Amino acid sequence: MQHLGEWLVAAKKLSDADLQRAIQVQKLSGGKLTQILVRLGLVAEKDIAQILVDRFEYRLLTADEYPQEPVLAEDLISKAFMREQHVLPVADDGKTVQVAMLDPSDTFILRALAMATERIIEPVLALSSELENAYERLYGAGAAQREENEALIDSSLSAGVDDVERLRDMASEAPVIRLVNSIFSRALDSRASDIHIEPFEHHLSIRFRIDGVLQEVETPSAQLAPAVISRLKILSKLNIAERRLPQDGRIQLRMQGRPIDLRVSTVPTMHGESVVMRILDKQSINLDLDAIGLSPQILKDFKAVLARPNGIFLVTGPTGSGKTTTLYAALSRLNTIDRKILTVEDPVEYQIEGVNQIQTASKVGLSFASALRSILRQDPDVVMIGEIRDKETAGIAIQAALTGHIVLSTLHTNDAPSAITRLLDMGMEDYLLTSTVNAVMSQRLVRVLCPHCKQPHSMNAEEVANMGVAHMVEADQSVTVYGPTGCDECAHTGYRGRMGIHELLLMNDQVRHQVLQRSSSEQIYRTARENGMLSMFEDGFSKVLAGLTSTAEILRVAQASR
């Protein structure tokens, strides 16, 4: 295992500087290099396991292969030995014992286990976190953990929630630190976008938003809530004594070998403070315009819009529909050495090399409008506004477009034509909109079918016609589409990941005429459709036909757009 560090560096899972740092820690404190790398957050456990599997062809034990009961008598291998050496028997047929290990090449441990059990030892590779969880569940450490939590609950009851110093001490107790760290680690492993921690009368609800859907993962005792929430507030540098007002903060971590940014929001509720954390994982976001799920025709039109020398491009949709990712992908395409790009955001979610990003600060009067007035004097070529919220911001955006700038921004409307009527309602002049707005894109996110378990089924011509998309398939022909099933790869949900479905409204002469006539959003929509605009539902159904998502998903998020 002495070459593991070099293998990780060669695979670009670890930097040479981080390897040297881990080696120094190993020299000072001892222990296995693998554990130190994971403990310092320099490398993900799965990355280490994959290197070992590739190099030595070890079999990696899955989480559901751990036994429900101990497989060997307690007098054969001591619990202390298993804990210290990180080994765990997982199967025994009387002749051969299968043993989960962090290092299956450790011959000393293999010989010791063979002598103690008088059986053939078959080593299998295990992830440290899964091995630790199985050990605690099987050999009583879980009971010890429960006792620690019960002691913590008793102390919290005796101290009272108004004792700020006691809360601070409780937040630093080992059981609370372990629980919070476990929440972060599980959220990353689950690909969660948000963590919701909500105190109720009898329990503390912990839920993850995975692929846009909330799933409950744990329900500790309600008495743990003050300590857990105080721990999160300390990490995000919030005032733990203030429990009457909402607060916003930020936690920066290094976990599984990558930097993680969490945006923290707290609000007071009936039974304590509710905490929601948005996970911003820089490595999980793809800012390549060709890779964000745009259909070929929409992608072609989008690139043509971005190639124009000036004008406004708007992205609309509800919160959590991927608007910011689309704008960042557009910025990445525009981000060339000959352009100066400035953004005003609330908050800055991802930092882009070569882009000057400004975060609004309402406490000191730095709003979207005030920041925009200043940055236009910075001689930008491209301006990105996080959101057009009021008449003043909209007016400055239009003036910027009129003076030769490319302006990108978002609006909260249900479809693309409604963005035009929203700007008119804000007080913008119709002739200014027709001369500055180049295009409006509306989007939603749908879950992607798990490629390992999706199952085909047929839709007959009547079902296709009822969905209003008969023109997209051959007349009177049934079509094959796919639906979710559920397997270990997708946590039995049938879906893994999300992708966008879009509609792109291009500002052509016919649409401009409707805007100048102050037509309704419905009339603008009909005109755009007559000129070839693909509806969001049609774009979604094209992805159903490609086997990427299910009809249930597009009906869930885009039915109103038909």
Side-chain angles (χ1 to χ4, degrees):
M1 300 295 282
Q2 60 182 342
H3 299 299
L4 175 66
E6 288 117 12
W7 295 336
L8 288 165
V9 172
K12 297 184 179 178
K13 301 295 184 182
L14 180 70
S15 70
D16 194 58
D18 283 341
L19 173 60
Q20 297 308 316
R21 175 185 167 199
I23 291 172
Q24 289 300 319
V25 172
Q26 185 184 33
K27 288 177 179 176
L28 292 171
S29 63
K32 293 182 180 293
L33 182 62
T34 55
Q35 295 171 273
I36 292 169
L37 289 169
V38 172
R39 191 170 69 241
L40 292 177
L42 301 177
V43 180
E45 286 182 284
K46 290 181 179 178
D47 290 336
I48 293 175
Q50 192 58 52
I51 290 287
L52 297 177
V53 167
D54 293 342
R55 292 279 176 171
F56 298 107
E57 298 183 350
Y58 294 140
R59 188 175 77 81
L60 179 62
L61 200 68
T62 61
D64 57 3
E65 289 184 271
Y66 287 93
Q68 297 302 311
E69 300 290 339
V71 298
L72 292 178
E74 289 191 15
D75 58 347
L76 284 180
I77 307 174
S78 75
K79 290 188 286 186
F81 180 84
M82 287 189 282
R83 165 69 83 182
E84 290 167 9
Q85 301 301 329
H86 302 281
V87 298
L88 185 72
V90 294
D92 174 29
D93 63 6
K95 295 181 180 179
T96 302
V97 178
Q98 194 175 79
V99 180
M101 303 175 63
L102 298 186
D103 181 4
S105 67
D106 193 323
T107 54
F108 168 77
I109 295 176
L110 293 174
R111 285 198 301 268
L113 290 170
M115 290 176 61
T117 61
E118 297 181 346
R119 291 170 174 81
I120 299 168
I121 303 299
E122 180 189 330
V124 290
L125 183 63
L127 295 181
S128 177
S129 58
E130 294 175 356
L131 185 65
E132 194 74 20
N133 290 338
Y135 179 88
E136 291 195 1
R137 176 168 52 80
L138 293 172
Y139 294 100
Q145 173 74 56
R146 287 191 293 274
E147 288 172 10
E148 286 184 86
N149 286 347
E150 286 165 7
L152 191 66
I153 290 169
D154 292 340
S155 63
S156 70
L157 291 172
S158 62
V161 294
D162 291 326
D163 188 339
V164 174
E165 286 307 313
R166 180 59 191 144
L167 270 180
R168 194 182 300 275
D169 291 341
M170 286 163 53
S172 302
E173 297 278 356
V176 173
I177 293 174
R178 276 201 295 269
L179 177 58
V180 170
N181 289 346
S182 171
I183 291 169
F184 292 156
S185 181
R186 289 171 66 183
L188 287 180
D189 288 340
S190 304
R191 302 174 294 102
S193 60
D194 301 86
I195 303 170
H196 292 243
I197 299 179
E198 304 151 315
F200 295 101
E201 185 175 2
H202 300 296
H203 70 278
L204 178 65
S205 173
I206 299 174
R207 298 191 289 173
F208 296 162
R209 188 176 294 280
I210 302 170
D211 295 336
V213 179
L214 277 173
Q215 300 177 19
E216 189 163 72
V217 294
E218 198 166 343
T219 54
S221 168
Q223 276 72 40
L224 276 174
V228 170
I229 291 167
S230 295
R231 173 69 182 167
L232 294 171
K233 291 172 78 173
I234 289 170
L235 289 173
S236 46
K237 299 178 175 59
L238 300 179
N239 181 1
I240 66 168
E242 180 54 79
R243 295 188 293 276
R244 302 164 300 172
L245 297 173
Q247 296 186 70
D248 294 311
R250 178 181 180 184
I251 301 174
Q252 291 179 295
L253 301 169
R254 187 177 175 90
M255 296 187 71
Q256 299 186 358
R258 58 190 196 262
I260 305 296
D261 207 349
L262 294 100
R263 298 300 164 91
V264 183
S265 171
T266 72
V267 294
T269 65
M270 284 291 293
H271 300 288
E273 289 175 284
S274 172
V275 180
V276 175
M277 292 172 281
R278 166 65 57 88
I279 301 173
L280 304 178
D281 182 358
K282 296 174 185 176
Q283 289 190 1
S284 69
I285 186 171
N286 191 337
L287 298 182
D288 182 358
L289 199 61
D290 295 304
I292 62 173
L294 295 169
S295 298
Q297 185 59 49
I298 292 177
L299 178 61
K300 179 183 174 183
D301 292 340
F302 191 4
K303 288 180 177 178
V305 169
L306 293 179
R308 296 183 186 180
N310 60 278
I312 298 174
F313 174 75
L314 297 171
V315 183
T316 76
T319 300
S321 60
K323 299 187 301 295
T324 303
T325 300
T326 298
L327 284 186
Y328 279 2
L331 281 183
S332 294
R333 182 172 180 83
L334 294 170
N335 187 15
T336 55
I337 196 68
D338 59 333
R339 284 195 179 103
K340 182 179 179 70
I341 302 176
L342 280 162
T343 75
V344 186
E345 304 170 61
D346 181 23
V348 174
E349 293 194 8
Y350 299 99
Q351 296 177 33
I352 304 176
E353 187 70 28
V355 176
N356 298 277
Q357 296 170 272
I358 301 168
Q359 181 159 320
T360 60
S362 56
K363 291 180 181 177
V364 295
L366 184 62
S367 63
F368 280 113
S370 60
L372 279 172
R373 282 193 295 270
S374 299
I375 68 173
L376 290 179
R377 294 192 289 271
Q378 289 276 312
D379 187 31
D381 297 294
V382 181
V383 176
M384 195 267 270
I385 308 166
E387 182 185 347
I388 293 178
R389 297 177 177 173
D390 51 44
K391 180 179 180 180
E392 187 177 10
T393 305
I396 296 172
I398 287 175
Q399 290 302 317
L402 286 170
T403 52
H405 300 85
I406 298 172
V407 180
L408 311 176
S409 190
T410 70
L411 270 175
H412 283 291
T413 61
N414 288 327
D415 55 29
S418 297
I420 303 297
T421 54
R422 175 68 58 83
L423 290 171
L424 290 171
D425 291 342
M426 283 184 182
M428 298 298 101
E429 297 294 343
D430 47 26
Y431 64 89
L432 291 177
L433 290 182
T434 57
S435 58
T436 55
V437 176
N438 291 334
V440 183
M441 178 184 283
S442 183
Q443 67 179 65
R444 301 287 190 278
L445 292 178
V446 295
R447 291 180 291 173
V448 176
L449 287 167
C450 174
H452 298 91
C453 65
K454 64 181 182 181
Q455 291 292 324
H457 64 271
S458 294
M459 285 182 67
N460 59 40
E462 183 180 352
E463 290 174 315
V464 174
N466 288 338
M467 293 181 71
V469 288
H471 60 284
M472 297 181 66
V473 300
E474 292 185 21
D476 299 324
Q477 293 290 315
S478 63
V479 295
T480 300
V481 297
Y482 289 82
T485 302
C487 65
D488 291 340
E489 293 290 331
C490 59
H492 300 281
T493 63
Y495 299 94
R496 185 174 177 84
R498 287 190 291 174
M499 68 186 305
I501 58 174
H502 312 82
E503 65 182 21
L504 181 61
L505 171 66
L506 298 173
M507 191 65 77
N508 55 29
D509 289 340
Q510 291 82 0
V511 173
R512 289 190 182 95
H513 177 72
Q514 294 296 335
V515 175
L516 291 170
Q517 295 292 318
R518 296 265 175 164
S519 300
S520 66
S521 60
E522 289 80 6
Q523 183 58 51
I524 295 173
Y525 179 80
R526 283 196 295 270
T527 301
R529 294 277 288 136
E530 289 166 4
N531 283 271
M533 184 183 82
L534 196 68
S535 75
M536 196 185 308
F537 191 86
E538 288 173 332
D539 185 47
F541 192 71
S542 71
K543 288 166 182 173
V544 170
L545 294 176
L548 299 173
T549 190
S550 66
T551 53
E553 273 296 287
I554 61 165
L555 287 169
R556 178 175 69 88
V557 303
Q559 190 168 15
S561 71
R562 284 191 289 169

